[in-house]
Amino acid sequence: YFPLIKSFSDINFNPSYSNDIQNLKLISFPILSLTINALFYKFFGSYSFLILQILCVFLFLITFIKIFSLIGFSKTSSILFSIILFILPQLIIDLTYLKFGFIEKISLNFQTFYSLRMPRPLLSNLFFFAFLFFLLKFYLSKDNQLKNIYIATLIMGFTMHAFFYFFIFQVFLITIIYLVKFKTTIFEFLKKNFKKHLYFII
């Protein structure tokens, strides 16, 4: 991804990396998924990778602290569980050296939960975790604050470019949350807030 990030930071959206072929028009690549990396590289150069890693780890911890707090954990427990979630994938990978079959199977399913590999899952998974936070916030709210859904749908837009499979999961998840939260009154709620939901879809 580094050559693309460098090119995008120079506002070059058709890099050929060839002296013979220059005009490629626009390459078919999801530019939006590398926008954050390109902006950081433009301002901080090679240090941007280190800065982004530190920033993303901080955002990961903050997001999960908020999620745990939202579902009723104490502040201390939220911090502790968030740190455990961050180190758990690497811990499971390290335990695979023991050659236990069940640990290897767990590792295969959990090693992509979060790591510092750029841009996935360093940034793409952060979008997904933030989406879960705002969706959970909407689900638990008694006054059905649609601003949380607005933020969630914006995050879905970024996720669609960052990691399409997460986007599909988000669509199904937001549908399930609506069905569970509103049950028989779902059509009434959608009709009442039709214009807002049209904005969300757009």
Side-chain angles (χ1 to χ4, degrees), residues 5 45 49 53 57 71 174 197:
I5 290 170
F49 298 101
Q53 285 185 345
V57 170
I71 57 180
I174 201 168
H197 284 88

Side-chain angles (χ1 to χ4, degrees), residues 110-126:
F110 205 69
Q111 63 186 348
T112 55
F113 175 73
Y114 198 70
S115 71
L116 301 182
R117 186 164 59 91
M118 175 277 302
R120 295 195 308 262
L122 183 67
L123 288 167
S124 61
N125 286 34
L126 279 184

Side-chain angles (χ1 to χ4, degrees), residues 53-72:
Q53 285 185 345
I54 293 168
L55 182 62
C56 287
V57 170
F58 176 74
L59 289 173
F60 173 92
L61 294 173
I62 290 294
T63 303
F64 274 99
I65 288 168
K66 286 183 172 291
I67 288 173
F68 283 123
S69 298
L70 201 60
I71 57 180

Side-chain angles (χ1 to χ4, degrees), residues 25-50:
K25 298 184 179 178
L26 290 178
I27 60 170
S28 57
F29 193 87
I31 294 169
L32 190 60
S33 65
L34 293 176
T35 300
I36 295 171
N37 302 87
L39 283 171
F40 270 74
Y41 187 81
K42 187 68 177 175
F43 290 107
F44 303 109
S46 298
Y47 291 107
S48 64
F49 298 101
L50 181 61

Side-chain angles (χ1 to χ4, degrees), residues 142-199:
K142 294 179 180 179
D143 53 353
N144 301 324
Q145 294 180 1
L146 285 175
K147 68 176 183 180
N148 293 315
I149 292 294
Y150 178 70
I151 298 169
T153 52
L154 281 176
I155 294 169
M156 285 173 71
F158 280 98
T159 306
M160 184 167 63
H161 286 262
F163 196 45
F164 184 75
Y165 300 104
F166 277 168
F167 172 76
I168 295 171
F169 185 77
Q170 287 171 336
V171 170
F172 280 109
L173 189 57
I174 201 168
T175 305
I176 291 166
I177 289 293
Y178 262 69
L179 290 171
V180 171
K181 186 175 175 70
F182 298 110
K183 296 181 177 68
T184 56
T185 61
I186 185 170
F187 291 110
E188 184 183 332
F189 180 75
L190 290 172
K191 185 179 178 181
K192 183 180 177 182
N193 299 282
F194 176 76
K195 189 178 286 187
K196 291 181 180 178
H197 284 88
L198 191 61
Y199 294 150

